[in-house]
Amino acid sequence: MNIKIIPDQTGFRYSVNEVEGSLFSFDYFAICTGGKQIFGTVEGASAAEWVSVPISEPIMHIGITCLRVSTAGTLQSAVQPTANSPDKKAESYSGTSYPQYFLELIERIGPEKIFLSDNYILISEDDINESPEDWLHGLSWHKIKNDTALRYEWQFHAIPDTFGIIIYCNYSLPEISVIIPFHHNICDLQRAVNSVLQQTFQSFEIILVNDFSSDKDIFLIQELLHSPKVKLIDNLSNLGQSISLNIGLLHAKGKYVVQLDADDWLTADALEFIENLTKEQNYAAISGNPYVVTNNNTQIWDGHAVEQSTDYFTYKGINAPRIYKTTILKEMGGWSVNDSYNGRYYEDRLMLSRIAEKHKIGYFDKSIYYVSVHSESLSRKRPLETASAKLSILVNEVNKRNLQLRHTLKGHNMLSAEIMSKTFGINAYTWSIIIPFSRNAAHLHLSLKSWNEAIGDGHTNVRLIVVNDNIKIDLSFIEKQFHFVTVIKTEGNKGPAHARNLGVEFSNSDYIYFSDEDHIVPPDILYRHEELHVENNHKTIVIGNVWGRRVVYNLDPEIETITKHKLLKNFWFRKEFESITNALATGEDYKLFETENNIYRTCFDYSFSDQWQREWGEVFSKHGFGLEEWEHSWLKCGTGSASILRENFNSIGGFNETLQSMEDWEFGIRAGLMNYKIVMAPFSEPFHIIHPKKAEERKDHNKTAIASIKSKFPGIIERAVNSGMLENIVGMIFSEETHQVHHRVSPEKKNKVCLTFDDGPHEYSTNLLLDRLQHLNLKGTFFVQGDRSLFSKPVLDRIINEGHELGIHNWHHRSHENSCSEEMIRDINKTRALLKQLTGKSIGLFRPPYGRISNSLTQKLNDEGYKIIGWHNNSMDWARGVTDIQIISNLAAEGIMNKILLFHDGTGEPESQFKALQWLEQLCTKNELESITVSEYLKYNSIDQVLSGLKYIDRI
């Protein structure tokens, strides 16, 4: 019997023979069995007074709550305490079903599983075949499985001034998980949550995903959080519907998931009906007939029993309720986020359609779900954006299924779609495919394999010309493997415009198709292009790069971080997640897939659309894919997927070889002035393999090209900028503003990793964290606050004695934005003096709260000998409800090699952080990485390399 329980403002830490764990935070705490009180109240107790039973593993998932009981052992109605102190009597608590739920719970589990002693009660749902003392002795080895157990404080009925505890170990998982993403709409949310809490079937959990609502909004829903069935998760930015649903899915414990919009609600028997229905039929998903409420008018809308998966895209009803088998959702990879809007729209129809391709979906002729139709919904507030998102998703889905789409836009956002089979034919004209080569032979090889599938065996009407732009790579193997390919070489590296013009000179075909070395093309691409040329009397440039579809073939460590983040969100539930995160974290060049057949179709599983190109959907929704009436169609003239009649290309004058970039736009402007139409080919869009960008070089080339275009075509760029369309795209490309970036020095790749932890110390969490770092053999630097260090000498000593080090995080966690430099330096020096008094060490490392610092404070700190420390990689582990998957994704996307990693002490989810640290330790072991402190890091790196992550503010 050697368990320490140490109270702390953040909870309880306990330690049993080097086994660590945590309990929920309460001011008063007690466990009793058979008349013997094992724990007493926390207040006033010293750590030495806390003794109890041994355990074999951490008790991380015990729910702790209090109920009123009489001295006779009869459970009475429960009340909510007005304060944590037992000196204050509780008021009556009414208006919810919680007390009745507790009564039903005890009736259900039976009196033989309830143990009363004086004023304490212990409840177990496990089979009890031993004495209460023996049962408690074996508490954790009963394998606590559910971390959504009861967590609520109540008082005893018989003696109001006595505070009691129930420990309730919930061994049965909820049958149903209800996921409710929300963003601001709090009044509607309260109605939605209460409709679930009042269900006739009570085996459920509610997962609220706060998609970046305000603190005021969260304050207003505190009452909802009183239920042990409700779990709140915070997004640190507005991520949208699908990502929020996937975050909820990471937490879901139920066999089935109900997707409930925050402005909708359920009938009282909805979950009971779902439970009974799922027992009768093993459906992958279910939908029915919703009640639709518009301006206080309620109607029943007929649902839809689909015949084929694409029906979900074309019928005009509403999908509700949306009920999914949890394992199927994860098999699907969660809700799709690979469109340019990251899954903000159309997520329900897309999910149902994807499931229907592989599994049986049930339909029931009953209404259990209320849909609120109002003007404040996202789709009605942003009608053109909604239509754009739907259109981009539909086009991608019909391309994946090798189908065709016909659509019309009615009003502002009523997108009507008809999906049909594709017609196939044989090209009547001869074609030359021109591919400049300047970078990656592996990408070129994959591209040529896709062309081989697209062209077929005959190759009689098609010739492919690879123009090696004087790159010293032997491409002779290409002509041997692909007999329809000819390789020519430029004299000197003269750029893409020259390479393409040279390819045209070398050709003698009717049509020219310009491709890139990193494009994967669909099987019928040339037939689709030829079809559009014939429809438009050949005086046309046909463009296949419509939505900016990108595919990740290999994980080059130099690809953009934003791309890595988007990729990882697509893999949270897929088996490749571990391999991908390991490769990204350590900079390993990792190939995601390898296939010899159906290359284009394989790419769909590893692809997504560029977020920055999503505005194009608004143009297509408004003007159609012909773009005849749109003055700025030249902005879509991209040479990565463009075709034109060869004689027309020559008539326009070919590409301007003085330009190293934007030569395609300049060509498009000249073509438009000669009355050539630019027409989109959305149903033959290639995939663009993601690779690192030569950002600085491209920036210089763009600057030269913009000056040339403005000189030759006065006003054309200005009119595009002022058109009101493509504001982000045009603004990003043509803006002359420069943005100062502070201290973004990339560290060299060395076998070191530097862990840092902010916001401590805490009696509970810091000790727990130190135990875990010791177990994992990891070192760290703890940036501590002065106000939290005052009474924490034992924790500070332990940090130093176990090989870690201390840094200063100011006296309190106030941002420099709210304090002048003089106040900041005073508090920093005050903290250093305290730490010197407590530890005997003079601390010279400083990290500003929130990373915000001014040039004035920087100078003062430098003058006093401080080293200012930032971070390269923020784990974002401090959010409420954050999962290990999210933390690992954040770390992997930024990489860990020779990086300073930012973690937090005492916030977020300790178990999620621990799992992420375990992942990190495994990477360190596998890759022989050494975990070092900041002071050790400075021996290998310049001071500039530790300033990353800081945000410089204008403050005196």
Side-chain angles (χ1 to χ4, degrees), residues 83-84 121 196 275 412 459 579 605 621 666 675 695 798 879 886:
N84 286 338
I121 181 171
V196 183
E275 172 69 7
H412 292 293
H459 309 318
S579 300
D605 295 330
S621 298
E666 194 269 350
N675 297 318
R798 186 181 175 197
Q886 293 170 277

Side-chain angles (χ1 to χ4, degrees), residues 10 55 105 178 298 303 307 548 608 634 670 694 740 794 942:
T10 61
I55 61 174
L105 167 68
V178 182
T298 302
E307 296 180 2
F608 51 83
W634 57 270
R670 284 187 280 125
K694 300 177 180 178
Q740 185 177 9
S942 68

Side-chain angles (χ1 to χ4, degrees), residues 268-335:
D269 63 343
L271 298 188
E272 183 177 0
F273 176 81
I274 292 168
E275 172 69 7
N276 292 333
L277 186 65
T278 55
K279 285 182 177 178
E280 295 170 4
Q281 297 285 342
N282 186 26
Y283 293 120
I286 312 167
S287 63
N289 303 331
Y291 292 108
V292 177
V293 182
T294 308
N295 298 324
N296 296 321
N297 178 32
T298 302
Q299 295 178 325
I300 295 178
W301 282 25
D302 290 337
H304 190 66
V306 301
E307 296 180 2
Q308 52 190 7
S309 64
T310 54
D311 287 354
Y312 284 109
F313 298 131
T314 56
Y315 83 91
K316 296 179 174 59
I318 295 177
N319 293 293
R322 294 143 299 181
I323 305 157
Y324 309 98
K325 200 169 187 178
T326 306
T327 54
I328 298 297
L329 282 175
K330 294 180 178 181
E331 176 192 315
M332 294 291 110
W335 281 268

Side-chain angles (χ1 to χ4, degrees), residues 422-547:
K422 272 187 177 181
T423 57
F424 295 91
I426 300 174
N427 290 96
Y429 296 87
T430 58
W431 286 79
S432 291
I433 303 157
I434 313 297
I435 303 180
F437 172 75
S438 63
R439 187 183 291 110
N440 192 308
H443 290 176
L444 175 63
H445 187 247
L446 189 66
S447 176
L448 292 177
K449 288 202 293 185
S450 75
W451 275 109
N452 189 49
E453 290 185 346
I455 295 169
D457 296 330
H459 309 318
T460 55
N461 289 344
V462 181
R463 184 184 187 192
L464 199 150
I465 302 167
V466 175
V467 185
N468 184 342
D469 196 15
N470 200 37
I471 305 301
K472 296 179 180 179
I473 296 177
D474 184 11
L475 298 179
S476 59
F477 73 95
I478 288 175
E479 290 179 300
K480 294 177 183 178
Q481 183 174 353
F482 303 103
H483 300 296
F484 60 95
V485 175
T486 300
V487 178
I488 62 176
K489 191 172 184 179
T490 63
E491 295 180 3
N493 188 297
K494 297 182 179 180
H498 173 75
R500 291 190 177 97
N501 286 342
L502 183 63
V504 174
E505 289 179 21
F506 200 78
S507 70
N508 58 2
S509 59
D510 300 317
Y511 276 94
I512 301 294
Y513 182 101
F514 295 105
S515 188
D516 279 343
E517 68 186 56
D518 49 14
H519 279 202
I520 309 300
V521 299
D524 58 347
I525 184 168
L526 295 182
Y527 179 77
R528 297 299 155 204
H529 276 245
E530 187 173 300
E531 190 177 44
L532 288 169
H533 283 294
V534 172
E535 287 178 9
N536 291 277
N537 297 318
H538 303 280
K539 196 169 183 180
T540 313
I541 303 173
V542 176
I543 303 296
N545 181 20
V546 182
W547 303 103

Side-chain angles (χ1 to χ4, degrees), residues 145-160:
K145 295 179 179 178
N146 182 18
D147 63 358
T148 59
L150 309 180
R151 304 183 184 183
Y152 284 83
E153 303 179 48
W154 310 86
Q155 288 188 322
F156 274 53
H157 177 72
I159 309 173

Side-chain angles (χ1 to χ4, degrees), residues 242-243 246 329-339 342-343 350 354 549-550 552 562-577 580 592 604-609 690 885 889:
S242 289
I243 297 177
N246 285 338
L329 282 175
K330 294 180 178 181
E331 176 192 315
M332 294 291 110
W335 281 268
S336 175
V337 297
N338 66 26
D339 68 285
N342 298 320
L350 179 55
R354 291 169 59 211
R549 293 296 294 179
R550 301 291 187 249
V552 184
I562 190 172
T563 299
K564 297 175 186 177
H565 277 293
K566 180 144 189 174
L567 168 70
L568 288 170
K569 285 184 176 70
N570 281 279
F571 281 85
W572 279 355
F573 302 100
R574 291 170 60 172
K575 62 182 180 180
E576 300 100 327
F577 179 79
I580 291 173
L592 267 74
F604 281 96
D605 295 330
Y606 302 89
S607 68
F608 51 83
S609 291
I690 290 172
I885 296 294
S889 295

